[in-house]
Amino acid sequence: MKPPPPPLFYLLFLLSATVISAATTLNATKPTTPKTPASSPTPAPTSSPTSPTTKAPPSSSPLDPKQIEALQSLNIPTTRDPCVQPSPRNATICDNSKPLRHLISLHLSNCSSDLFLSFNALKSLSSLRSLSFTNCHVSPIRFPSDLSLSLTSFSCIQSLRRLSGVWLSRFVNLTDLTVSYTPVSASGVYVILGNMHKLKTLTISHANLTGSLPRHLHLNLSHIDLSDNKLKGKITTSLTLLQDLEFLNLSSNGLNGEIPTEFGDLISLKNLSLASNSLSGSIPDSMSAIPGLVHVDLSNNQLNGTVPRFLAELKGLKVLNLENNGLHGVLPFNASFIKRLAVFKVGGNSNLCYNHSVLSSKLKLGVARCDKHGLPVSPPPSKESSADSQSDSSDYNDEGDTSNKKESHHGPSKVVLGFAIGISSIVFLIVFLILLAKWCR
Ligand SMILES: *[C@@H]1O[C@H](CO)[C@@H](O)[C@H](O)[C@H]1NC(C)=O
Ligand SMILES: *[C@@H]1O[C@H](CO)[C@@H](O)[C@H](O)[C@H]1NC(C)=O
Ligand SMILES: *[C@@H]1O[C@H](CO)[C@@H](O)[C@H](O)[C@H]1NC(C)=O
Ligand SMILES: *[C@@H]1O[C@H](CO)[C@@H](O)[C@H](O)[C@H]1NC(C)=O
Ligand SMILES: *[C@@H]1O[C@H](CO)[C@@H](O)[C@H](O)[C@H]1NC(C)=O
Ligand SMILES: *[C@@H]1O[C@H](CO)[C@@H](O)[C@H](O)[C@H]1NC(C)=O
Ligand SMILES: *[C@@H]1O[C@H](CO)[C@@H](O)[C@H](O)[C@H]1NC(C)=O
Ligand SMILES: *[C@@H]1O[C@H](CO)[C@@H](O)[C@H](O)[C@H]1NC(C)=O
Ligand SMILES: *[C@@H]1O[C@H](CO)[C@@H](O)[C@H](O)[C@H]1NC(C)=O
Ligand SMILES: *[C@@H]1O[C@H](CO)[C@@H](O)[C@H](O)[C@H]1NC(C)=O
Ligand SMILES: *[C@@H]1O[C@H](CO)[C@@H](O)[C@H](O)[C@H]1NC(C)=O
C-alpha cells in the first residue's frame, strides 16, 4: 500500500502555510496603537520631558516655615517641597490655604532610634487631621491639646513603645483609631472610647488590652477590631445595637458566655470573627436575619447545638469556619453550597457527622460519616483510610463532580498520561520494527 495522496498533502500544507502567513502579516501591519508603545519606547519619553507640567507647583503657596522646621526636627527631608505629591515616603499632605500652606497629614515610619518627639514641634503641627506612626519606637509625650482636638485619624502600628487609655482618650474628634502591635494599658475599652463621639472605625489589636467590652458604644461605628487582646466577660448587648457595623473581629480574647440572641440585630454585618474565645451555647438563629454575611469565623470556642441550616441560605457567604467546637448532629449542607465557599471548615467537632448520601467523602470535611440514626460512625480517625477507598466508588453516582480538590484529580491523570505514552511508544516501536523487517526483505 503506497501513499497515493502526497501531492494533496503538499497542497494542503502550502495552503495552510499561506493562510497563517497572511494572518500574521495582517496582524503585523494592522495593530498600530497597541504595538508602537511596546516596540518603540521613544514617543513616551519625548512627550513627558517636553511637557512643562512639572514646573507648575512652585506657583502655589509655600509651607508654613514653622512646620518646615518641625518636619526637620522629625527627620523628614525638606530639601524638596513636602507639599508636592507624591511626597518623599508619602509622609506628608498639605492643604491649599494661602498665603501659607499647612500640613493636614503626617506619616512617620521606620524612625531612627534617636528620634525625639518635641512638644514644640507637635504644637506647630496642630493643623494635622491625620497622624500615623508605623514602626517608630519613640517615647510618647503629652500632645498639645490643639493637636489632640484637631486629629480625626490616629494610627499607631508597632510604635510609641506603650500607650495608656487615658492618653488615647484625649483624641475626642477621631473618626478612625488604629493601635496595633503596641501595648495599651487601660482598665477597659470604655476608658479609651468614652468621649470619642464621632468614631467610625476602631482597631485596637495585638495590644494586650485588658478589661471587658464597653456597656455603651457609639452607634455610628462601622468597623470594630479588638482581636488578640486579653478582654474578658460576655459579648455585651450594646454591641448588637450597632446597625451600621460591617466588620467585627473579637478573636483571640478571653470572652465567655453565649452569643447574645440579639446578634441578628447587626443587620449590616459582613465580616465576623469571634474565633478563639471561650464562647458556649448555640449559634443564634437570629443571625439568619443578617443578609450580607461574607465571612463567619466562630472556630475554637465551646459552641454546642447543631449547625444551623440558615447558613446555607446566605447568598454572599465566602468563608465559614466552625472548627474545634462542640457542635453535633448532621451537617445540613449539600455539595454545591460547600463548593461555592472559598473556605469551609467544620473539623474538630467530635459529634458532628455528614450524610453519606448527600456529601461525598472526597470533600475531606474532617468529620465522620453519619449512621442511619444521624450519629457519627464510631471511630472517625481509624475508619478514615478504609472508608475513603471504599466509599469513593459508591459515592461516585450521587456527586460525581465533587472533585473540588484539584490535587486528587491531578495525581491520577498524570500517571494515566505517562502510562499511555509508554504503551503507545512501545506499540509504535513494534510497528516500526515490523515495517523495517518487511522493507529489508
Ligand atoms: C493577532 O493579534 C491579536 C492581538 O493583537 C492576537 O490576539 C492574535 O493571536 C494575533 N493572531 C495571530 C495569528 O498572530
Ligand atoms: C504613596 O501613596 C500612593 C497612594 O496611596 C501609593 O499609590 C504609592 O505607591 C505610595 N508611594 C510610596 C513611595 O509609598
Ligand atoms: C519600612 O521598613 C520596612 C521593612 O524594613 C519596609 O518594607 C518599608 O517599605 C519601609 N517603609 C518606608 C516608608 O520606608
Ligand atoms: C473637636 O472637639 C472639640 C470639643 O470636643 C470642639 O470644640 C472642636 O471644635 C473640635 N475640633 C475640630 C477641629 O473639629
Ligand atoms: C503581650 O504580652 C505578652 C506576654 O504576656 C508579650 O509576649 C507580648 O509581647 C505582649 N504584646 C505586646 C504588643 O506588647
Ligand atoms: C451617625 O451617622 C449618621 C449618618 O451617617 C449621621 O446623620 C449622624 O449625625 C451620625 N451621628 C453622630 C452622633 O455622629
Ligand atoms: C481577626 O483578627 C485576627 C487576628 O488579628 C486575624 O488573623 C483574622 O484574620 C481576623 N478575622 C477577620 C474576619 O477579619
Ligand atoms: C450547651 O451549652 C450551654 C451553656 O454552656 C449549656 O447550658 C447547654 O446545656 C449545652 N447544651 C447541650 C445540648 O450540650
Ligand atoms: C471580609 O471577608 C472577605 C472574605 O474573606 C475578605 O475578602 C474581605 O477582605 C474581608 N473584609 C475586610 C474588611 O476584612
Ligand atoms: C443545595 O442547598 C441550597 C441551600 O439549601 C439549595 O438552594 C440548593 O438548591 C441545593 N442544591 C442541590 C443541588 O441540592
Ligand atoms: C441522608 O439523606 C437522605 C437523602 O436525602 C435521607 O433520606 C436520609 O434520611 C438522610 N440520613 C440522615 C441520617 O439524615
Side-chain angles (χ1 to χ4, degrees), residues 20 23-24 26-28 31 34-35:
I20 287 170
T24 45
L26 246 170
N27 246 13
K35 276 235 171 132

Side-chain angles (χ1 to χ4, degrees), residues 89 109-110 135:
R89 294 199 276 156
S109 57
N110 297 350
N135 197 20

Side-chain angles (χ1 to χ4, degrees), residues 129 149-150 172-173 198:
R129 312 299 303 272
L149 294 179
S150 165
V172 296
N173 290 324
K198 298 172 185 167

Side-chain angles (χ1 to χ4, degrees), residues 19-76:
V19 165
I20 287 170
S21 64
T24 45
T25 47
L26 246 170
N27 246 13
T29 47
K30 256 198 174 176
T32 43
T33 35
K35 276 235 171 132
T36 36
S39 53
S40 58
T42 32
T46 46
S47 60
S48 62
T50 46
S51 67
T53 45
T54 44
K55 297 279 185 231
S59 63
S60 65
S61 44
L63 184 60
D64 185 340
K66 269 195 220 151
Q67 296 200 328
I68 290 185
E69 214 173 287
L71 288 179
Q72 283 163 350
S73 84
L74 296 170
N75 294 349
I76 306 275

Side-chain angles (χ1 to χ4, degrees), residues 296-329:
V296 175
D297 187 351
L298 304 177
S299 61
N300 299 302
N301 280 290
Q302 283 114 50
L303 298 172
N304 64 19
T306 56
V307 175
R309 193 171 292 273
F310 71 78
L311 290 169
E313 313 293 334
L314 298 171
K315 294 283 176 278
L317 200 63
K318 288 277 177 309
V319 173
L320 179 61
N321 189 347
L322 302 175
E323 69 184 358
N324 300 324
N325 278 291
L327 301 166
H328 71 263

Side-chain angles (χ1 to χ4, degrees), residues 251-272:
S251 66
S252 300
N253 278 289
L255 301 172
N256 59 19
E258 301 194 2
I259 303 174
T261 50
E262 299 89 343
F263 211 77
D265 295 348
L266 293 172
I267 51 165
S268 304
L269 201 58
K270 294 192 172 81
N271 293 42
L272 169 68

